[in-house]
Amino acid sequence: MGSGSTTTPGDGSRIAGVSGTGGVGKGTVIAALRDRLEGWTVSVSATTRRPREGERDGVSYHFVTDAEFDRMIAEDELLEWARFGGNRYGTPWRSVREPLAAGRPILLELEINGALAVQKEFPQALLIFLHPPDLGTLVARMQGRGADDERRVAERMALAEWELAQASAFDHRVVNDDIDAAADAIARILAAGAG
Ligand code: 5GP
């Protein structure tokens, strides 16, 4: 492992992760960040969820079957993986090792458990927690999803509370009240810390 300000490829000091509560808009902020991150690679995760409209295989995600995801776990191809909303998501080792070996910093998008797993593997990784503008907005958004029964809303709220309680484990916290402002703030943190 490197120490202090050294940025030897592979020591984790060039890995950054953006995480945050469900529904906070990580994907949108990272999409806005792409234009601001010269020289950075944004990791493409593997997932068992189906592509949404406009998503492209190999760009948004590597969309894989359950069997393929099982194989990736069994063959130790994932740096971390987690379940979210009935699907599985994971960071392929390959998409981290290749940029690091080439000396390029890499940005990961992760739900909270994944971010904590990356922190364990790479203590020097720079982890950013994206906060919702306020709790009221989050509650309104959850309750606004009509078809949900009360128990589902309560489960989501409990999860959001747990997620918010993890924020202190992160190196930086950014509030997502404006996508461009949040992307600017993260770009500044990355430029100062890990690039
Ligand atoms: P979505 O289905 O909305 O694209 O993503 C659902 C959740 O999975 C989001 O919180 C997103 O940040 C997270 N996610 C995406 N890729 C990964 C990954 O590789 N690992 C982990 N742990 N979470 C991921």
Side-chain angles (χ1 to χ4, degrees):
M1 297 293 275
S3 62
S5 62
T6 57
T7 52
T8 319
D11 71 1
S13 60
R14 290 190 151 209
I15 298 180
V18 173
S19 194
T21 42
V24 70
K26 292 184 285 287
T28 317
V29 169
I30 286 180
L33 253 178
R34 281 175 190 266
D35 300 336
R36 294 164 167 83
L37 292 181
E38 216 178 302
W40 281 72
T41 300
V42 180
S43 163
V44 179
S45 302
T47 183
T48 57
R49 106 156 145 66
R50 303 222 166 165
R52 295 188 188 123
E53 209 177 315
E55 288 184 332
R56 282 194 297 146
D57 190 29
V59 179
S60 321
Y61 283 103
H62 298 291
F63 295 101
V64 301
T65 60
D66 266 312
E68 174 63 1
F69 205 94
D70 287 341
R71 189 199 61 73
M72 293 175 96
I73 294 171
E75 297 189 8
D76 239 348
E77 288 185 11
L78 300 176
L79 160 56
E80 61 73 38
W81 69 273
R83 285 180 202 280
F84 189 91
N87 297 301
R88 290 182 289 174
Y89 298 81
T91 307
W93 268 114
R94 193 163 47 104
S95 67
V96 173
R97 282 203 184 112
E98 280 173 7
L100 289 183
R104 286 195 307 273
I106 178 144
L107 182 69
L108 313 176
E109 183 203 333
L110 306 151
E111 52 67 71
I112 309 264
N113 284 304
L116 298 176
V118 166
Q119 193 172 46
K120 243 190 205 155
E121 187 77 36
F122 295 106
Q124 296 182 39
L126 190 66
L127 293 183
I128 298 162
F129 189 97
L130 202 57
H131 269 284
D134 63 81
L135 216 50
T137 313
L138 203 64
V139 175
R141 206 180 293 160
M142 284 180 187
Q143 290 173 336
R145 294 182 184 177
D148 284 352
D149 59 27
E150 271 177 38
R151 211 188 56 171
R152 286 280 298 139
V153 172
E155 277 171 10
R156 281 229 201 86
M157 281 310 299
L159 178 63
E161 256 173 49
W162 176 82
E163 288 176 331
L164 288 170
Q166 310 310 308
S168 59
F170 286 69
D171 302 299
H172 295 272
R173 286 155 289 278
V174 170
V175 177
N176 183 23
D177 47 10
D178 175 272
I179 291 163
D180 280 318
D184 284 341
I186 293 173
R188 278 197 300 274
I189 291 168
L190 297 179

